[in-house]
Amino acid sequence: MPVIRQAFSLKQCIFFGTLLLSASQGSYAGPLSKVTIVLRRARILVFLSVIAAIAILASYMFAGFIDEAAKSAKFIELGFDHIFVPSARPHIDRRQLMSRILRYQGIPFGFFPATTAYDIDHPEAYSFWLGEEHWTPPKSFLLSATALASFRTHMNVINDIVRLEHASTLVLGDQVDIAADIKQQMRTVVESLPATWDILYLGHCSNETLRPTTFHSQIYVAADPKCVFAYALSRAGARRLKRVLDNMWPAPLKTFEDILSDMVVPLFLEAY
């Protein structure tokens, strides 16, 4: 399927408009009044403007259109079936920056609508995600609305991973900095993971002692990981995590990253 760039170019629109204007001057310059000629020209200019607007809109809509085969091939370059970037609607600047970074590296991705603190405080205005059970926040809870919103966002992402049956999925925060050679690094890392892996932290902010593995020099066993700005889940890991999180919502006692860490310590999740 070819890439669709735009329906009409601006040069084509101007060319057609010039022809129409010339025709109007030649056909109606005789018996018709000057007012009639002006009105006819005005209609033609309006028509030309509409066509130009449609051409510009089409170019924006379809310029990034890629067929599914090409998109899947680029996902495979990183070793994942899909890439989610959770981002709240007000964070336009973050989405623009992430779009530039990922498109520059040729990495396909999809923004995921993040739950906000306002959604938690005003559940009556909350738009439930596809497959999400209707819930009502408890009258009192230990976590802040911001922490609950982050928890719910990751829950929705994981629910989508399970629903779509992705074999592996990368979840990126909308403020991460990506290495220039991420494709080369991730391809070998993902291929080296054992078949039983559940979660892979692409970065963390804890001071745990690194425990090397025997299957890759850059992969370490996660003992007490912190931060969830970049992590990947296998299908089995997403399903296992979904069961636990569903039982905790809507009144979790800890943040999402702390719950993940608690699940890694007893090896409930095989993490690297």
Side-chain angles (χ1 to χ4, degrees), residues 173-213:
D174 60 3
Q175 290 183 295
V176 299
D177 186 17
I178 301 175
D181 60 343
I182 186 173
K183 289 183 179 180
Q184 292 79 2
Q185 290 190 47
M186 291 312 306
R187 185 63 179 169
T188 59
V189 166
V190 175
E191 288 178 345
S192 302
L193 287 171
T196 54
W197 76 281
D198 290 315
I199 183 170
L200 172 68
Y201 286 87
L202 276 70
H204 61 82
C205 54
S206 63
N207 295 319
E208 61 176 310
T209 302
L210 298 179
R211 297 163 52 192
T213 60

Side-chain angles (χ1 to χ4, degrees), residues 126-188:
Y126 179 68
S127 298
F128 287 89
W129 193 241
L130 183 63
E132 181 182 358
E133 295 182 0
H134 285 240
W135 51 267
T136 302
K139 295 181 179 179
S140 61
F141 41 81
L142 296 177
L143 301 181
S144 65
T146 300
L148 282 176
S150 175
F151 193 102
R152 185 68 242 185
T153 296
H154 288 285
M155 279 189 69
N156 289 342
V157 170
I158 292 167
N159 288 344
D160 238 31
I161 295 172
V162 173
R163 181 178 63 84
L164 298 174
E165 298 185 347
H166 291 311
S168 60
T169 306
L170 175 61
V171 182
L172 292 175
D174 60 3
Q175 290 183 295
V176 299
D177 186 17
I178 301 175
D181 60 343
I182 186 173
K183 289 183 179 180
Q184 292 79 2
Q185 290 190 47
M186 291 312 306
R187 185 63 179 169
T188 59

Side-chain angles (χ1 to χ4, degrees), residues 48-84:
L48 175 61
S49 301
V50 171
I51 295 297
I54 292 174
I56 294 172
L57 180 61
S59 67
Y60 277 104
M61 290 177 61
F62 298 110
F65 184 82
I66 306 173
D67 62 89
E68 289 300 319
K71 186 183 296 184
S72 298
K74 290 196 173 186
F75 278 129
I76 293 173
E77 287 180 9
L78 280 177
F80 303 107
D81 281 6
H82 199 74
I83 300 173
F84 282 128

